[in-house]
Amino acid sequence: MGGENGESGGNRGSRENGGSGENRVLLVFDGDCAFCQACVNAGHRILPYMPAVRAWQGLDLDATGLTRAEVETSVQLLGPDGLRAHGARAIALLLVLQPRAAWRVAGRVMLTPPVSWVAEAGYRLVSRYRHLLPGSATCGTS
């Protein structure tokens, strides 16, 4: 469940990318969306590694280089060396960052056309209708 200020709570041990700020990976999601929060919670439960996770509503968007339009329409993944991805690509890259080979392979498959095209279309469909999904009555839509 989400912590204060839209920050997602901790998980098994130290699973966030520790170390210096420049090496930190950040997953930005819609904290007003119950479905989005449920997805973040599932990530914390099933993935061996989760980056820092923050709701966009609690971020200084100018400091992250993100626009309100970007964060209202899809999840964002930011990281070192200019890493910046959104939507299905962000989810795929999150899988590529996993320590377990099976997750990394799944992420690489998601990044490869035509699977990447289907993944993005599926992401857009879910994103557009997330307010209709079970448990998403409080979901804000753009």
Side-chain angles (χ1 to χ4, degrees), residues 2-129:
E4 293 182 39
N5 298 327
E7 199 165 340
S8 183
N11 46 19
R12 294 171 278 190
S14 178
R15 290 175 23 180
E16 286 190 13
N17 193 16
S20 61
E22 68 272 3
N23 291 326
R24 190 168 192 133
V25 177
L26 175 64
L27 183 72
V28 179
F29 76 106
D30 184 350
D32 288 340
C33 173
F35 176 75
C36 301
Q37 183 66 60
C39 291
V40 166
N41 293 344
H44 279 291
R45 278 192 315 275
I46 66 173
L47 295 175
Y49 163 76
M50 275 295 279
V53 179
R54 296 286 307 270
W56 71 262
Q57 291 86 347
L59 287 178
D60 176 356
L61 294 180
D62 290 333
T64 64
L66 296 170
T67 67
R68 187 172 176 133
E70 289 171 324
V71 297
E72 284 182 337
T73 57
S74 64
V75 66
Q76 305 287 322
L77 188 68
L78 307 174
D81 300 324
L83 172 65
R84 188 175 167 129
H86 62 88
R89 182 172 173 77
I91 303 306
L93 289 173
L94 177 59
L95 295 178
V96 169
L97 292 172
Q98 297 304 308
R100 295 189 184 139
W103 288 116
R104 291 193 308 270
V105 168
R108 291 191 193 288
V109 168
M110 280 182 66
L111 290 170
T112 306
V115 176
S116 61
W117 306 331
V118 174
E120 189 60 33
Y123 182 92
R124 292 286 156 222
L125 184 66
V126 169
S127 177
R128 183 172 183 180
Y129 295 105

